[in-house]
Amino acid sequence: MSLYIIDYEDSISVMQEDFSLNGHLKAKMIIDRDYRLAEINKRIFGSFIEHIGRAVYGGIYDPDHPTADSEGFRKDVIELVKELHPPIIRYPGGNFVSGYNWEDGVGLRKNRKEKLDLAWQTLESNQIGLNEFVRWAKLVDSEVMMAVNLGTRGVDSARELVEYCNHDSGSYWSDLRISHGNRHPHNIRTWCLGNEMDGDWQIGHKTAEEYGRLAQEAAKVMKMVDPGIELVVCGSTNNLTDTFPDWEATVLTHTYDQVEYISLHSYYANSDNDTMNFYAKTLNMDSVIKSVTATCDHIKAKKRSKKTINISFDEWNVWYHSIEETSKIEPWTSRQHYFEENYDLNDAIMVGCMLITLLKNADRVRIACMAQLVNVIAPIMTEDNGRAWKQTIFYPYYHMIRYARGTVLQSVISSSKYDCREFCNVPYLEAVAVHNAGDRDDEVVVFAVNRSTEDSLVLECDMRSFGSCDVSEHIVYEDAGIPHSNGNADTDDGMMRAILGKSSWNVIRIRVDKSEYT
Ligand code: AHR
């Protein structure tokens, strides 16, 4: 490993001849074990499955597929989802939920009616409904996050759904669940009060006042049925709408005492192929999180409340490759290729930046869901009658779920910067560090992206607060194949140094000797 010294005030000097610094950018991180931001809530790495395109039918469920189990679930998909292991999965929408009658998807399959899904202009067979989805979620070891329809429906159907899912027995709806073969309650803990109700495309779209009142009453009554549930009220679809952030303020004025979270959604595109501008869009993601947090706290102050509302970032991803193709799909068909993105390395790097942004805000973002999981804007794809495989965006997401454990540290970062079309002073380095206290050794993991598409970046991390440390693995994702573990990170005297290749996603795992500080 090369040795080099970085002078941040000045320039970079090299002590070894085989190490050329031509074209290197530079960045420094101070990672201190006492600068703790938040304990990581694993639900920040959740996912989402909606009834749309081939997410459910042809994705998780395909009774004619050679790998189908006795219930029609594709076992090859189950294996990939288990490998990824998202801890929580939002269901059944999305825009779909705003026109959905949940009763259509329970009971004997042969009696279920085929209906028009107005959100995506498809035919919904209702062969998969909540009981099947709950069973599938158990197979992949994930918790279900359920959304209720506050578009065409309201308080009554929301309370009946909670009773059906969570009440033990002895009432009409709980006994109906039992008669459908589910003796034990599903005990679904987290519920979304509708979806993107601020958008005029939404079935049953409402003003903030109308939605705020409805959500308040639905929330109150749902908690009368099961006081143990927690609720997510709809925030804005994104920060570009005319009503952002007044929507949040009005809705929270009505619902503050009844809910635990407010939702936030963001999708980003590289439609004009300006990749460094694309990577910089997480500055927008960060600023939206800060604005929504500030709005929550403004209402908290107005209400003189002791309670804090956190963020459920329950839809986020890269989305743009497939929009034109999808617009050509014939309406009122089913199992069509809706929004089947073909992701490249740049998209995976952007997903890495988004995951880092979520972690950097882990004190207030307590739930987040990559949208979606299978086929539709998804890390996992399937062929009808064929294989299931991983897209590029699978990898950073997988690394985060696997290695981002313990405490997020509030790192101090200084980095070379650039200006681009939409942003100024964008740090080339996007990074975050976590401290995972193990039984024997502790581990610090640095997740880092070099946003430059031209030059590599020299990263130096001051980790002296941890005493002695040692790199155990440096995973790099830098071409659209699969990631490798041949990164160059090394440590010397409490300093960790690495050269991050252009447009690269890096996971640097560092063993620290806890006997030196405990
Ligand atoms: O995830 C796809 C769609 O994007 C969801 O249905 C909707 O909530 C969002 O606009």
Side-chain angles (χ1 to χ4, degrees), residues 50-238:
E50 177 167 6
H51 282 246
I52 169 177
R54 296 191 313 127
V56 173
Y57 305 108
I60 65 170
Y61 174 77
D62 187 352
D64 298 328
H65 193 268
T67 70
D69 69 8
S70 56
E71 293 204 68
F73 293 128
R74 277 184 68 153
K75 283 197 261 189
D76 56 348
V77 174
I78 288 175
E79 284 316 306
L80 288 178
V81 177
K82 276 168 78 174
E83 183 182 339
L84 189 60
H85 204 182
I88 186 165
I89 304 180
R90 184 167 171 252
Y91 175 84
N95 295 342
F96 172 78
V97 79
S98 299
Y100 181 51
N101 293 348
W102 65 268
E103 304 88 331
D104 292 342
V106 298
L108 282 180
R109 273 182 167 155
K110 67 177 171 54
N111 295 339
R112 296 190 196 171
K113 300 178 188 74
E114 198 154 36
K115 287 204 169 166
L116 296 187
D117 160 25
L118 302 182
W120 301 112
Q121 298 204 307
T122 54
L123 273 181
E124 170 58 50
S125 70
N126 283 307
Q127 289 305 295
I128 293 290
L130 82 90
N131 292 319
E132 290 83 20
F133 188 75
V134 166
R135 276 201 291 283
W136 180 82
K138 277 207 178 75
L139 293 174
V140 298
D141 192 27
S142 295
E143 183 187 344
V144 175
M145 176 176 180
M146 184 71 76
V148 301
N149 174 357
L150 291 190
T152 57
R153 306 191 90 187
V155 180
D156 208 29
S157 83
R159 70 164 172 146
E160 289 170 355
L161 179 54
V162 177
E163 184 180 319
Y164 181 94
C165 289
N166 286 8
H167 193 72
D168 184 70
S169 61
S171 68
Y172 174 78
W173 293 104
S174 57
D175 287 347
L176 187 64
R177 182 201 68 240
I178 294 169
S179 76
H180 292 157
N182 304 277
R183 169 59 199 91
H184 298 291
H186 296 320
N187 282 330
I188 295 173
R189 175 175 153 212
T190 309
W191 296 76
C192 303
L193 296 164
N195 175 71
E196 293 186 352
M197 297 307 303
D198 63 317
D200 59 9
W201 63 89
Q202 197 70 217
I203 300 167
H205 157 66
K206 291 170 178 56
T207 65
E209 278 292 338
E210 288 164 349
Y211 171 67
R213 279 291 297 130
L214 176 61
Q216 180 187 19
E217 290 306 312
K220 184 176 87 186
V221 173
M222 288 163 78
K223 283 191 171 173
M224 283 176 175
V225 179
D226 183 352
I229 60 175
E230 50 180 29
L231 298 172
V232 183
V233 74
C234 290
S236 301
T237 301
N238 57 54

Side-chain angles (χ1 to χ4, degrees), residues 172-365:
Y172 174 78
W173 293 104
S174 57
D175 287 347
L176 187 64
R177 182 201 68 240
I178 294 169
S179 76
H180 292 157
N182 304 277
R183 169 59 199 91
H184 298 291
H186 296 320
N187 282 330
I188 295 173
R189 175 175 153 212
T190 309
W191 296 76
C192 303
L193 296 164
N195 175 71
E196 293 186 352
M197 297 307 303
D198 63 317
D200 59 9
W201 63 89
Q202 197 70 217
I203 300 167
H205 157 66
K206 291 170 178 56
T207 65
E209 278 292 338
E210 288 164 349
Y211 171 67
R213 279 291 297 130
L214 176 61
Q216 180 187 19
E217 290 306 312
K220 184 176 87 186
V221 173
M222 288 163 78
K223 283 191 171 173
M224 283 176 175
V225 179
D226 183 352
I229 60 175
E230 50 180 29
L231 298 172
V232 183
V233 74
C234 290
S236 301
T237 301
N238 57 54
N239 68 333
L240 302 175
T241 60
D242 291 344
T243 48
F244 177 85
D246 296 338
W247 171 277
E248 279 74 2
T250 305
V251 162
L252 284 174
T253 299
H254 288 294
T255 59
Y256 202 91
D257 294 336
Q258 277 81 28
V259 305
E260 282 67 38
Y261 306 91
I262 187 157
S263 73
L264 216 169
H265 294 174
S266 287
Y267 295 97
Y268 295 105
N270 190 13
S271 323
D272 48 7
N273 212 14
D274 182 349
T275 302
M276 289 195 27
N277 188 66
F278 176 49
Y279 291 161
K281 291 182 182 181
T282 48
L283 270 59
N284 170 269
M285 185 179 187
D286 187 71
S287 110
V288 182
I289 294 172
K290 301 283 192 296
S291 303
V292 174
T293 302
T295 308
C296 293
D297 294 347
H298 170 73
I299 303 300
K300 175 179 184 173
K302 273 181 88 170
K303 287 187 175 283
R304 317 288 191 259
S305 177
K306 289 197 168 60
K307 175 180 172 186
T308 298
I309 301 290
N310 287 315
I311 292 173
S312 169
F313 210 127
D314 44 42
E315 286 186 35
W316 66 268
N317 206 344
V318 169
W319 184 4
Y320 66 105
H321 299 278
S322 60
I323 291 174
E324 203 185 318
E325 272 308 298
T326 301
S327 68
K328 298 177 191 155
I329 293 174
E330 275 291 300
W332 314 125
T333 51
S334 55
R335 227 178 124 149
Q336 297 280 3
H337 295 247
Y338 272 68
F339 305 120
E340 299 201 2
E341 298 272 297
N342 188 5
Y343 289 119
D344 60 20
L345 178 73
N346 296 337
D347 302 323
I349 303 295
M350 179 58 177
V351 160
C353 289
M354 294 174 91
L355 286 160
I356 290 171
T357 304
L358 290 171
L359 261 195
K360 278 174 150 175
N361 289 286
D363 54 333
R364 296 305 290 271
V365 179

Side-chain angles (χ1 to χ4, degrees), residues 33 66 74 329 430 440 459:
R33 67 189 165 85
R74 277 184 68 153
I329 293 174
E430 180 63 281
R440 269 179 4 146
L459 169 65

